[in-house]
Amino acid sequence: MSDLSLPQPVTDTPAEVDDAGRSLRGSIGVIGIVFLVVAAAAPLTAIGGALPVMLAIGDGPGNPMAYVIAAVVLLLFSVGYAAMSRHVVDAGAFYAYVTKGLGAPVGVGAAGLALLTYTAIQAGIYGLAGATAEGLVTQYGGPDLPWWLWAFVLMAVVGLLGYRNIDIGAKVLGVLLTLEIGIIAAVAVAVLVQGGAHGINVQSFTPSAFFSGAPGISIMFAIASFIGFEATAIYGEEARNPRRTVPVATYVAVVLVGLFYAFASWAIVLAFGVDDVAAAAQADTTGLVFTAGATYLSPAMADVMQILLLTSLFAALLAFHNAISRYLFSLGRGGRMPAALGRSHDRHGSPHIGSVVQTVSAAVVVAVFALAQADPVLQLFTWMSGLATVSILVLMVLTSLAVIVFFARTGVDRRVWHTKIAPILGTVGLLGVIALVLANFTTLISGSAVLATVLLVIIALAFVAGAALAVTTRHRVPAASEG
């Protein structure tokens, strides 16, 4: 269909501000943005870390179908999201969309949720990455240093890359992602070529397999594996032709991640057998996927996968760092936070001040857990991942509602599927997922009901704080940007 038949963009946004230091610069294309999204998804972390847990306590061999369902829900959400990206280009992404659709108080409340989501998940990944680095270094004869020290080393490198132009970060992520996706694909293909443990079958994709255990837990983990796909809009200002790049990158990212996870998880199920994979995961949750690599490729491959797990975590850290710094930039430029945050670097065109602030905030969170002598995986990673999962789902529901209201109010796009049917279906799907997550939230964070309540209260407070900020800063914001 010719682009002339599509609704033309009518909403000017802060992305088009051309005052010195008030806009971001870059030349990133569809592939680069997809790399940033997939980096946040951290494929090897999801398949090597989350999948065995899903197999052990979720619906066992039916887990591949959970990824398919999660991708379908997110695709429905993405239809309206992509349609609105033609009218709103802003580094704040979800925040900007919710503001345009539901008004400033709800929009800035959404920004509070976004900052909480990405700060929490990034802090959690620092814990997991620090523990992984500690184990690898000692395994190969290096010094036995605490996990938090390695976390701070990674933080310094991430901060340096985040300070510079986005094109540099995208190139680094491109290399790392090629390696980790390549190793997962190699294991999956080897399993299929060798016929798995008991032959090839598609039982994993049947309703009976999906509903055989606890599908709610599997759906919950599957959705969590997509955290960060908002990046397709976050980098709109730094993209070539954002009104085309963002929609294409959104669809490509969701389909690519969903299909890859479904394929890889199916191969792992076959590697141990439909009837035996749940027991195998329960017996060796942390080493299940590495065992598959050693069995179907070579023992040395397990060592390579452990090293690439660390690079996978690093890629995710950089992706979330970039997302947070751009949110801070958007809020600063829009008058919601100190104006200094809204200035870009003269040479790099990057949100450099937001990058520094983000590095400091990450250091504070990690330091608190380190001083409390908390376990970097069972507490820091697990708790923060659970917090981020609920927070991002609420944020996505608000965004989906904002899309519906925006198009109903403005009438700038009259395609019924894009502006009404798909967004409504996506909203219903997301609400269903939220219900599943809340029903299994204590399991997700491996904690008590009291801890679960505390984390949910934090999410509510983040939204309320954002809404209050919108009210108190109203006098600093142009009326045109109020929604």
Side-chain angles (χ1 to χ4, degrees):
M1 179 181 294
S2 169
D3 195 52
L4 293 176
S5 65
L6 295 176
Q8 298 303 303
V10 299
T11 304
D12 290 335
T13 70
E16 299 176 13
V17 174
D18 56 8
D19 295 338
R22 299 283 288 172
S23 61
L24 301 176
R25 298 194 306 274
S27 59
I28 190 170
V30 171
I31 295 177
I33 291 180
V34 170
F35 272 144
L36 288 161
V37 174
V38 179
L44 188 54
T45 303
I47 298 300
L51 177 61
V53 177
M54 294 165 67
L55 291 167
I57 65 175
D59 55 357
N63 274 288
M65 194 63 190
Y67 287 116
V68 174
I69 293 174
V72 169
V73 171
L74 293 182
L75 277 175
L76 288 170
F77 167 82
S78 297
V79 172
Y81 180 58
M84 195 162 177
S85 71
R86 293 178 54 81
H87 305 276
V88 181
V89 179
D90 191 282
F94 284 167
Y95 149 60
Y97 288 20
V98 176
T99 298
K100 287 295 180 184
L102 302 179
V106 181
V108 184
L113 291 176
L115 290 174
L116 175 65
T117 295
Y118 295 133
T119 299
I121 192 64
Q122 191 199 42
I125 293 174
Y126 271 122
L128 181 58
T132 301
E134 178 186 13
L136 281 174
V137 171
T138 54
Q139 177 181 336
Y140 290 103
D144 186 7
L145 301 174
W147 68 268
W148 52 264
L149 181 61
W150 295 113
F152 285 124
V153 170
L154 291 170
M155 205 175 294
V157 179
V158 167
L160 179 63
L161 288 173
Y163 189 88
R164 298 173 64 83
N165 186 279
I166 187 60
D167 295 325
I168 296 176
K171 290 175 182 176
V172 172
L173 293 178
V175 173
L176 298 179
L177 279 172
T178 300
L179 293 174
E180 69 172 292
I181 290 175
I183 195 69
I184 298 172
V187 174
V189 171
V191 171
L192 295 178
V193 169
Q194 297 174 46
H198 306 296
I200 307 299
N201 63 74
V202 294
Q203 187 176 334
S204 291
F205 298 101
T206 62
S208 60
F210 177 70
F211 290 106
S212 63
I217 292 178
S218 294
I219 286 289
M220 180 173 60
F221 275 99
I223 286 288
S225 298
F226 284 85
I227 289 179
F229 92 102
E230 178 193 7
T232 56
I234 287 177
Y235 299 107
E237 293 186 40
E238 297 154 279
R240 296 189 296 269
N241 189 10
R243 290 184 170 99
R244 174 187 176 276
T245 299
V246 171
V248 173
T250 299
Y251 290 130
V252 170
V254 174
V255 172
L256 180 63
V257 171
L259 289 179
F260 186 75
Y261 282 167
F263 171 70
S265 59
W266 175 53
I268 296 301
V269 170
L270 295 178
F272 296 91
V274 171
D275 296 328
D276 302 321
V277 67
Q282 292 165 3
D284 184 18
T285 304
T286 58
L288 184 77
V289 175
F290 302 115
T291 299
T295 302
Y296 288 91
L297 287 175
S298 73
M301 193 56 62
D303 294 332
V304 174
M305 292 176 71
Q306 288 179 333
I307 294 173
L308 290 178
L309 173 60
L310 182 58
T311 64
S312 170
L313 293 168
F314 175 80
L317 288 169
L318 180 57
F320 286 121
H321 174 95
N322 287 335
I324 298 168
S325 60
R326 279 153 183 79
Y327 254 97
L328 293 173
F329 173 84
S330 181
L331 289 165
R333 183 176 60 186
R336 301 300 182 182
M337 296 187 78
L341 289 170
R343 304 201 66 82
S344 56
H345 194 279
D346 292 338
R347 181 156 60 93
H348 301 306
S350 62
H352 61 301
I353 298 177
S355 176
V356 172
V357 170
Q358 200 288 308
T359 300
V360 172
S361 67
V364 169
V365 176
V366 171
V368 168
F369 277 83
L371 290 173
Q373 298 184 330
D375 186 282
V377 178
L378 298 179
Q379 293 175 313
L380 177 53
F381 176 71
T382 303
W383 295 358
M384 294 299 99
S385 296
L387 178 67
T389 299
V390 177
S391 182
I392 194 65
L393 283 168
V394 174
L395 178 58
M396 289 172 67
V397 167
L398 290 175
T399 303
S400 197
L401 292 173
V403 168
I404 297 169
V405 173
F406 173 79
F407 286 120
R409 187 179 72 239
T410 64
V412 295
D413 189 337
R414 299 189 180 281
R415 294 174 296 172
V416 176
W417 169 254
H418 292 75
T419 62
K420 292 183 175 64
I421 298 176
I424 289 173
L425 292 175
T427 302
V428 172
L430 289 169
L431 289 172
V433 173
I434 289 178
L436 290 172
V437 170
L438 293 178
N440 296 277
F441 190 54
T442 303
T443 301
L444 178 63
I445 63 171
S446 300
S448 66
V450 173
L451 175 61
T453 301
V454 169
L455 295 180
L456 293 176
V457 168
I458 290 175
I459 293 172
L461 289 176
F463 177 81
V464 171
L469 181 65
V471 174
T472 57
T473 58
R474 188 184 299 273
H475 63 286
R476 302 206 308 249
V477 181
S481 64
E482 288 284 324

